[in-house]
Amino acid sequence: MSAPTPAISGTFAAPTNSDAARASLEALRSEIAKAVVGQDPAVTGLVVALLCRGHVLLEGVPGVAKTLLVRALAASLELETKRVQFTPDLMPSDVTGSLVYDARTAEFSFQAGPVFTNLLIADEINRTPPKTQSSLLEAMEERQVSVDGTPRPLPDPFLVVATQNPVEYEGTYPLPEAQLDRFLLKLTVPLPTREEEINVLTRHAEGFNPRDLKAAGISPVAGPADLEAARDAVALTSISPEVAGYVVDLCRATRESPSLALGVSPRGATALLSAARAWAWLTGRDYVIPDDVKALALPALRHRIQLRPEAEMEGVTPDAVITSVLAFVPVPR
């Protein structure tokens, strides 16, 4: 934590809960690095999602430590995590839970599913049919599960981190736009650089076991109280009318792009602004600037637009469209 800042009166101002929470969350990066090499943007994106009470779609080829990244985050925050492998035969009740008949009491009791946790890893979510995919919609939006007409609240914090493979589409069920829109961010997890991959191999040669995070030295550096204090601080981060207008102009520009069949919805604009507020607070400011919006534009918007078939055939990508919009829309001064 940085040295205390001198107050106007000549004494030293004590660090606030907000400062302590920020310092704790900043320590996450080095703690997760004990298990995961690189992937700093993905770590930051996950922290932003936690601060905004949002959900994350992680996209990357198999073997780039997507699941390990989430498990390391949960261990560093002292949060419970559960993993569900989404398969074609997975039923909605396998995720949310179901009523089970107890012969001894002659009554039905609710048996909670894996969704009742803090961090739910929905592994390869696009491999399960839409019926099971949609079982997460209520949990993600309302933070509750309704079984037999009875709503059951989920723990707080609650974060769904869904993964999908961007290459292999055989036997998959693409997520509908309505569900994609429920994810605050879509983060891409790239292959490591040569130096990072050598580092990974060296760690494994020295006995690193990805299934034993305690042995890797990962311990909690923050907790639910830090998250709550951080969320309160993010909620106080100010937004000028000019920055709010910039967010709206960016999203409206996507709706007019000739490459897109579907632009960013007002919900997407709200998500971008929320993520920018969290990013501004993490960088030590209590106000949002246009650079914060630019920093979060790709992860917040890339999954909320739909390319026209002809643009897709020409090799246009969602990231290229958003980058073009960022270059075209005037930045407020």
Side-chain angles (χ1 to χ4, degrees):
M1 194 167 174
S2 58
T5 305
I8 295 177
S9 63
T11 59
F12 287 98
T16 65
N17 290 340
S18 174
D19 296 330
R22 185 186 293 112
S24 298
L25 294 178
E26 285 174 352
L28 283 176
R29 185 174 284 106
S30 58
E31 198 67 19
I32 293 173
K34 296 177 182 178
V36 180
V37 177
Q39 310 300 0
D40 277 357
V43 174
T44 302
L46 288 169
V47 174
V48 166
L50 279 168
L51 293 177
C52 298
R53 290 181 168 87
H55 307 285
V56 174
L57 183 61
L58 278 183
E59 188 172 86
V61 298
V64 289
K66 298 187 294 295
T67 303
L68 178 61
L69 174 62
V70 182
R71 290 178 56 240
L73 174 68
S76 301
L77 286 170
E78 204 170 13
L79 298 176
E80 182 187 29
T81 181
K82 293 180 182 177
R83 175 178 174 271
V84 178
Q85 183 67 48
F86 279 69
T87 56
D89 61 346
L90 193 72
M91 299 296 291
S93 58
D94 295 330
V95 179
T96 60
S98 59
L99 293 175
V100 178
Y101 182 73
D102 189 341
R104 292 174 298 178
T105 61
E107 293 180 348
F108 285 92
S109 61
F110 177 69
Q111 184 172 343
V115 75
F116 287 86
T117 187
N118 296 124
L119 270 70
L120 176 68
I121 306 172
D123 214 355
E124 294 189 288
I125 190 173
N126 57 338
R127 291 204 171 275
T128 199
K131 181 178 180 180
T132 305
Q133 290 178 8
S134 64
S135 67
L136 279 176
L137 284 177
E138 183 188 15
M140 293 170 67
E141 189 69 18
E142 307 295 336
R143 299 183 183 273
Q144 66 178 26
V145 169
S146 296
V147 177
D148 196 32
T150 302
R152 293 173 171 84
L154 294 170
D156 185 41
F158 173 69
L159 173 69
V160 173
V161 181
T163 71
Q164 65 179 14
N165 180 352
V167 178
E168 187 180 347
Y169 289 107
E170 185 176 350
T172 63
Y173 304 84
L175 295 176
E177 298 300 325
Q179 184 152 4
L180 283 172
D181 211 32
R182 296 302 197 281
F183 288 98
L184 178 75
L185 304 175
K186 179 182 178 181
L187 305 175
T188 57
V189 184
L191 289 166
T193 63
R194 183 176 184 273
E195 291 72 20
E196 289 171 344
E197 199 163 358
I198 291 173
N199 192 346
V200 171
L201 296 183
T202 302
R203 291 188 181 192
H204 280 267
E206 293 173 350
F208 170 71
N209 182 1
R211 297 172 185 83
D212 188 357
L213 295 180
K214 286 186 178 180
I218 292 184
S219 57
V221 294
D226 296 300
L227 272 179
E228 195 59 37
R231 287 170 172 175
D232 291 342
V234 169
L236 297 175
T237 303
S238 64
I239 305 156
S240 69
E242 292 78 14
V243 171
Y246 180 53
V247 171
V248 170
D249 291 342
L250 287 174
C251 295
R252 292 181 69 86
T254 64
R255 301 169 202 163
E256 300 169 0
S257 171
S259 299
L260 297 181
L262 180 68
V264 178
S265 69
R267 179 188 289 165
T270 302
L272 174 55
L273 193 58
S274 296
R277 292 178 84 182
W279 174 254
W281 179 81
L282 281 171
T283 54
R285 278 179 283 102
D286 60 357
Y287 57 92
V288 180
I289 61 175
D291 283 347
D292 300 325
V293 177
K294 289 182 176 181
L296 273 298
L298 283 176
L301 303 182
R302 58 165 57 109
H303 56 299
R304 302 177 191 273
I305 60 178
Q306 191 176 73
L307 293 170
R308 293 186 183 276
E310 55 269 28
E312 203 165 358
M313 291 177 64
E314 292 172 2
V316 177
T317 64
D319 283 16
V321 173
I322 296 170
T323 302
S324 174
V325 167
L326 287 170
F328 170 75
V329 175
V331 180
R333 298 186 179 277

